[in-house]
Amino acid sequence: MPVLLKKYRILENEYLVYDPQRNDVVLDKAQIQLLCDRHNGLGADGFIIGPVFNGKKINIEMYNADGSVVRKNEQMLGAFSKYIMDEAYMKDQFFIIFTLAGKVTVDLFEIGNELQKISVSDITVTDFFARQIREAGRRDIVCAS
């Protein structure tokens, strides 16, 4: 089964967004590391999993490229806010994202111009690649984008 990701570039940093609403595969730390690896994977500074819904609350999981957990990161939150806007998850100008560090209020009107500066790429990771990311460190990875 292909894995659908979006790659967001903000202030010279790149983040992969994995939407559990659109994917069935559950990724582990080694797979996140491999996907973020600039030599063997897709290359990114961080990995975002979201939206993770808890009732009406939007939770987000954030990871550094090495797979370590991020409690809060403004650039990652900016990329995720753009994703939420692009995918029409929220119709309101204001919404709240819950991070490990607590809740963050997003005002799309206030950050609207900044969001337009974020570039986006769609990535589909093929079945072959999805099998290979389970074996972290492989160099013969093939992916389509």
Side-chain angles (χ1 to χ4, degrees):
M1 173 149 221
V3 175
L4 306 174
L5 300 167
K6 291 219 182 228
K7 188 179 215 180
Y8 286 82
R9 184 174 178 84
I10 177 173
L11 298 174
E12 303 304 317
N13 290 308
E14 296 173 322
Y15 302 103
L16 294 171
V17 176
Y18 171 90
D19 187 336
Q21 312 310 310
R22 292 184 166 86
N23 289 288
D24 294 328
V25 178
V26 176
L27 301 176
D28 62 23
K29 180 180 176 178
Q31 294 165 328
I32 290 170
Q33 287 173 320
L34 183 57
L35 284 166
C36 291
D37 187 293
R38 294 206 183 274
H39 300 290
N40 299 313
L42 302 172
D45 298 294
F47 196 87
I48 301 165
I49 298 176
V52 178
F53 291 104
N54 181 7
K56 292 187 178 185
K57 292 181 180 177
I58 298 175
N59 294 321
I60 181 176
E61 297 175 20
M62 297 178 283
Y63 300 89
N64 288 312
D66 66 3
S68 62
V69 174
V70 175
R71 293 182 51 81
K72 185 176 174 184
N73 177 295
E74 294 300 322
Q75 288 182 5
M76 291 174 108
L77 286 167
F80 184 68
S81 295
K82 174 113 171 94
Y83 179 78
I84 291 292
M85 183 178 74
D86 291 347
E87 299 300 314
Y89 276 109
M90 296 305 294
K91 307 245 186 274
D92 295 330
Q93 167 182 332
F94 301 99
F95 56 92
I96 295 173
I97 299 171
F98 290 85
T99 71
L100 286 177
K103 64 182 181 178
V104 176
T105 303
V106 177
D107 180 349
L108 293 177
F109 179 76
E110 208 172 274
I111 60 173
N113 289 334
E114 294 304 313
L115 292 180
Q116 299 310 316
K117 296 177 187 173
I118 301 172
S119 64
V120 182
S121 303
D122 289 323
I123 299 171
T124 301
V125 181
T126 64
D127 288 337
F128 176 79
F129 183 74
R131 284 192 304 273
Q132 297 307 312
I133 63 175
R134 292 184 183 96
E135 302 174 27
R138 293 288 300 266
R139 296 191 183 277
D140 56 342
I141 293 169
V142 175
C143 70
S145 61

